[in-house]
Amino acid sequence: MLDLFYDDTHRALRDSAAAWVDRHIAPHAAAWEEAGWFPEDLHRAAGDAGLLGVTCPEALGGAGGDVFHGLIVAEALIGGGSVGVAMGLGSHAIALPPILALGSAEQQARFVPPVLSGDKVAALAITEPAAGSDVAGIRTRAVRDGDSYVINGAKTFITSGLRADLVTVAVRTGGDPDDPKRRHEGISLVVVEKGTPGFHTGRALAKMGWWASDTAELFFEDCRVPADNLLGGEGMGFVGIMANFVGERLLLAASAVATARLALDDTLAFVGQRRAFGRPLHGFQVTRHRLAEMAGREAAARAFVSTVAERARRGEDVAADVAMAKNIAAEACAYVCDAAVQLHGGMGYMRECRVERLFRDQRLYAIGGGTTEIMNEVIWRRGLEPIV
Ligand SMILES: Cc1cc2nc3c(=O)[nH]c(=O)nc-3n(C[C@H](O)[C@H](O)[C@H](O)COP(=O)(O)OP(=O)(O)OC[C@H]3O[C@@H](n4cnc5c(N)ncnc54)[C@H](O)[C@@H]3O)c2cc1C
């Protein structure tokens, strides 16, 4: 992000996080991507380095930092060269906010510290086979039975779903997805722990990018969880889900900017070293102009995302702005990665070339955490409709 908004703690974190990533991720990124996996003990190493809880309360093992501390870690992780590792290692960043927003002191003390230390992995499960953007369409049901909830249903596309020790799951404790008047009612969040009878993971889903992260289907068959694992009360799910909106979209926007920067840097190095027609590629004006366009779009996205983050830090309502930030950053990243492949020529199409991977990985920025179209809906409803 723009260091314009940084204090000394941000600059120190930027440097220490980059050094940790250079040592623990960068040398292995390509191999882990090809393997479609990264070692579980990386979570503990990141926890030991204090990278998992920079924005979480100190009382729970975090560092009590602000939004920029979180974005700095996200950017540093992308700098390791594997968006999949960054997203897999960062799945707790969307799983924990609902626990922090809705959970009791006892639930927070039980679930949060082991995740921040890297001893446990956390995931968030909202999306279902028949309901993604349309969260009110979820059908996974949790029925109260004594001091338990019995859950039946399925989730899909869940980041870290296979390795997660605890999953923050959106369930329906009431309402009806088929009744337009009642479909927003009765959405609740419950924490389901690995090993709970009736909780199964499916296959690792093969995907276009983010190969090193696991993306899984989850199944609940008469899965009985203690009623104590319900976050907030029944029907409080949307409050918990909304707790993620600003943070998750800013994290994805910052990750998109960082991905664009990586693709631009790789391309700048390549055009200086690769020669054609007796000169380096940057000897052609058309190449220089394309690089200028790439740099401009990355810089504009970085500036806008940083400004929205600063306004979020000041406590302003940035719902519409953060949706714009995510769309603008995703679009800038798509442009830069596409141009990066083009300027690498045939090498840009080779698996050994990092921009080939970044080109695949960036595609999800316009889909995950709310699609471009859903962001535009938010921009209309929260930013434009109130003033027309
Ligand atoms: C690699 C990966 C990791 C993921 N990780 C997680 C995770 O950890 N946890 C989790 O819960 N989910 C996760 N997701 C799911 C992700 O959040 C959803 O894929 C995303 O929200 C879109 O939902 P969908 O796939 O059901 O698409 P759909 O909602 O079916 O959308 C399909 C198309 O219709 C458009 N559309 C839908 N509604 C409207 C509308 N009202 N107006 C205009 N257009 C519309 C969409 O924009 C899109 O273009 C992940 C997905 C992927 C691919």
Side-chain angles (χ1 to χ4, degrees):
M1 293 296 91
L2 282 186
D3 58 8
L4 205 60
F5 298 113
Y6 290 179
D7 61 23
D8 287 345
T9 66
H10 297 113
R11 282 184 280 273
L13 178 63
R14 178 191 58 195
D15 297 345
S16 65
W20 185 87
V21 167
D22 280 350
R23 185 154 160 242
H24 288 87
I25 297 180
H28 314 289
W32 290 343
E33 277 289 321
E34 288 298 323
W37 172 89
F38 67 91
E40 266 88 354
D41 60 15
L42 193 67
H43 290 272
R44 190 164 294 122
D48 288 346
L51 294 178
L52 300 183
V54 292
T55 61
C56 291
E58 289 175 86
L60 296 171
D66 62 26
V67 61
F68 281 106
H69 293 99
L71 300 186
I72 284 166
V73 171
E75 262 197 289
L77 292 177
I78 294 289
S82 163
V83 180
V85 171
M87 297 303 166
L89 207 52
S91 58
H92 68 287
I94 53 174
L96 295 186
I99 300 177
L100 294 170
L102 292 178
S104 65
E106 182 277 322
Q107 288 171 324
Q108 293 181 5
R110 186 154 49 106
F111 296 130
V112 177
V115 174
L116 301 190
S117 64
D119 292 309
K120 290 193 172 176
V121 174
L124 175 72
I126 297 176
T127 306
E128 300 189 352
S133 306
D134 180 17
V135 176
I138 66 164
R139 290 173 184 278
T140 296
R141 269 199 184 274
V143 176
R144 181 81 189 231
D145 182 25
D147 55 6
S148 307
Y149 280 98
V150 179
I151 306 177
N152 280 286
K155 298 288 173 180
T156 194
F157 304 157
I158 306 309
T159 301
S160 297
L162 290 181
R163 64 177 61 196
D165 299 288
L166 55 103
V167 187
T168 306
V169 185
V171 295
R172 188 170 273 294
T173 50
D176 178 354
D178 299 318
D179 179 347
K181 291 205 182 101
R182 298 187 55 235
R183 61 201 311 273
H184 286 87
E185 294 170 13
I187 307 282
S188 305
L189 289 168
V190 63
V191 177
V192 180
E193 295 178 82
K194 193 181 216 160
T196 307
F199 172 36
H200 311 287
T201 53
R203 65 203 160 97
L205 299 169
K207 51 195 188 290
M208 179 191 292
W210 294 26
W211 288 354
S213 70
D214 82 68
T215 307
E217 298 169 303
L218 311 181
F219 300 103
F220 304 92
E221 288 166 355
D222 291 331
C223 172
R224 188 174 283 273
V225 297
D228 279 351
N229 285 15
L230 183 76
L231 300 173
E234 288 192 5
M236 295 287 286
F238 270 116
V239 176
I241 291 167
M242 279 161 53
N244 260 333
F245 280 172
V246 168
E248 179 182 14
R249 290 168 188 171
L250 276 176
L251 281 175
L252 286 168
S255 300
V257 171
T259 305
R261 187 70 231 179
L262 213 51
L264 175 59
D265 286 345
D266 283 1
T267 310
L268 286 169
F270 184 79
V271 298
Q273 153 252 311
R274 175 76 178 171
R275 298 179 69 83
F277 298 94
R279 62 178 85 168
L281 293 181
H282 63 47
F284 301 107
Q285 190 181 42
V286 69
T287 304
R288 296 195 296 265
H289 285 191
R290 195 82 194 268
L291 289 162
E293 186 72 23
M294 292 160 75
R297 294 195 193 202
E298 186 268 345
R302 179 177 297 272
F304 187 67
V305 175
S306 302
T307 307
V308 174
E310 174 59 15
R311 289 184 45 218
R313 177 163 67 168
R314 293 178 187 187
E316 294 179 31
D317 174 3
V318 290
D321 310 75
V322 98
M324 288 181 197
K326 181 172 174 292
N327 280 359
I328 286 168
E331 205 176 314
C333 185
Y335 177 87
V336 171
C337 290
D338 182 66
V341 169
Q342 189 66 23
L343 291 180
H344 276 75
M347 183 50 76
Y349 202 72
M350 294 296 123
R351 287 263 284 275
E352 68 192 80
C353 181
R354 184 157 70 178
V355 299
E356 181 271 343
R357 183 162 80 236
L358 299 179
F359 176 78
R360 288 186 283 102
D361 287 345
Q362 60 77 26
R363 190 61 185 84
L364 196 58
Y365 291 130
I367 297 172
T371 64
T372 300
E373 293 76 14
I374 295 301
M375 292 305 100
N376 283 337
E377 278 298 297
V378 174
I379 295 163
W380 167 254
R381 274 189 282 110
R382 298 293 296 270
L384 302 178
E385 196 173 23
I387 56 172
V388 293

